[in-house]
Amino acid sequence: MRKKLVIGNWKLHGGLARNEALLLGIRGSDAVARIDAAVCPPFPYFQQAVELLRGTSVTVGAQDLSAYREGAYTGEVAGEMLADLGCRWVIIGHSERRQLFGETDAVVAAKVGAALRAGLVPVLCVGESREQRESGAAEAVVAAQLEAVFSAVGAKALSGVVVAYEPIWAIGTGLTATPDQAQSMHLFIRNLLQRIGVDAMGVRILYGGSVNAGNAARLFDEKDIDGALVGGASLQVDGFLAICRAASAAVTIE
Ligand code: PEP
């Protein structure tokens, strides 16, 4: 069964007072009752989110982790440390980390391994640029990103991953992939996972890229879209809950 999953990626936003208002707004809502919902705050606010969401069904994830477990790696945060604090998910390979912080497929694969070792669920982001889509290379790009992780961790481990298809041209731009475009790529990803030996029918594939209250329902109606990774709209209670409500109204795939 693939229960819908909505994850808010707060990126580099937040402050104690703002977070509290957002978290209290989310925790009191019935919009999150029938789905899996999570927030991914910046590291310093992780504990605040865990505490304010304690006793609710909303879980907390991280936006990144170290590929290393411990040692002389200044500035790094290990998966085991996050797990200690109650972390459930970790976003890995977001296009902003790939583009702005030079994360290669090899680094992404190592981080997926580190997350699984720590008992966290990796939310593995893949997606093509506008130029790559326009030149017809979108599927090849996404396939290469997935295969790099597969080569490093194998099919069994990949079965424990959530995949987030996030076309780079749709992130933070207000441009959303059409439901057809997104569904077509999600089906491509599922078929590819199946071909390489992953039990793909059980893998949740999220769509990310300017998801909001107005477009979420149509996206969630698509058969292979199992939820969303949400950036901008996850910073407002109403926007995030409207997306969760749309996910609740969509069919869970048995
Ligand atoms: C994201 O950063 O993962 C994202 C999807 O951002 P936005 O919803 O703002 O496009």
Side-chain angles (χ1 to χ4, degrees):
M1 190 179 84
R2 301 198 308 268
K3 197 175 182 185
K4 289 280 189 285
L5 169 62
V6 177
I7 300 180
N9 173 14
W10 292 6
K11 309 193 187 190
L12 188 56
H13 296 288
L16 285 175
R18 241 169 96 186
N19 302 346
E20 184 171 333
L22 182 50
L23 292 164
L24 293 180
I26 295 169
R27 69 162 287 156
S29 170
D30 60 0
V32 294
R34 294 177 49 216
I35 60 166
D36 286 334
V39 296
C40 298
F43 287 135
Y45 303 122
F46 193 87
Q47 187 95 34
Q48 181 195 23
V50 168
E51 276 164 19
L52 287 176
L53 294 173
R54 201 182 302 285
T56 76
S57 63
V58 183
T59 49
V60 185
Q63 298 175 23
D64 189 23
L65 86 171
S66 178
Y68 302 103
R69 185 180 198 132
E70 67 178 339
Y73 302 109
T74 302
E76 293 285 272
V77 175
E80 285 75 6
M81 297 173 182
L82 294 165
D84 260 357
L85 294 176
C87 184
R88 169 103 189 265
W89 322 88
V90 57
I91 299 170
I92 298 176
H94 192 283
S95 61
E96 287 154 12
R97 297 223 53 90
R98 292 180 192 259
Q99 291 188 316
L100 304 174
F101 300 98
E103 287 195 8
T104 60
D105 280 340
V107 170
V108 170
K111 289 186 172 187
V112 168
L116 292 168
R117 184 191 65 212
L120 307 179
V121 180
V123 179
L124 170 61
C125 300
V126 295
E128 81 287 355
S129 67
R130 186 153 58 87
E131 297 70 34
Q132 288 164 334
R133 175 156 283 265
E134 284 170 359
S135 70
E139 290 185 349
V141 168
V142 168
Q145 290 169 333
L146 287 169
E147 278 157 5
V149 176
F150 166 70
S151 313
V153 303
K156 188 157 176 280
L158 257 194
S159 307
V161 163
V162 169
V163 177
Y165 169 56
E166 297 211 306
I168 298 169
W169 47 270
I171 296 179
T173 58
L175 294 174
T176 317
T178 64
D180 280 355
Q181 280 173 323
Q183 164 59 25
S184 158
M185 184 61 89
H186 282 225
L187 181 59
F188 172 79
I189 292 170
R190 201 175 303 286
N191 287 340
L192 179 122
L193 291 175
Q194 194 69 41
R195 232 179 11 256
I196 60 182
V198 176
D199 176 14
M201 290 313 286
V203 172
R204 288 189 280 194
I205 306 176
L206 311 183
Y207 169 76
S210 299
V211 176
N212 58 40
N215 58 29
R218 269 295 288 115
L219 287 160
F220 296 153
D221 273 348
E222 297 293 342
K223 186 162 97 11
D224 289 286
I225 300 183
D226 302 313
L229 181 55
V230 185
S234 73
L235 298 172
Q236 308 293 334
V237 177
D238 291 351
F240 187 65
L241 291 180
I243 294 167
C244 290
R245 230 169 251 119
S248 300
V251 181
T252 290
I253 304 291
E254 298 295 339

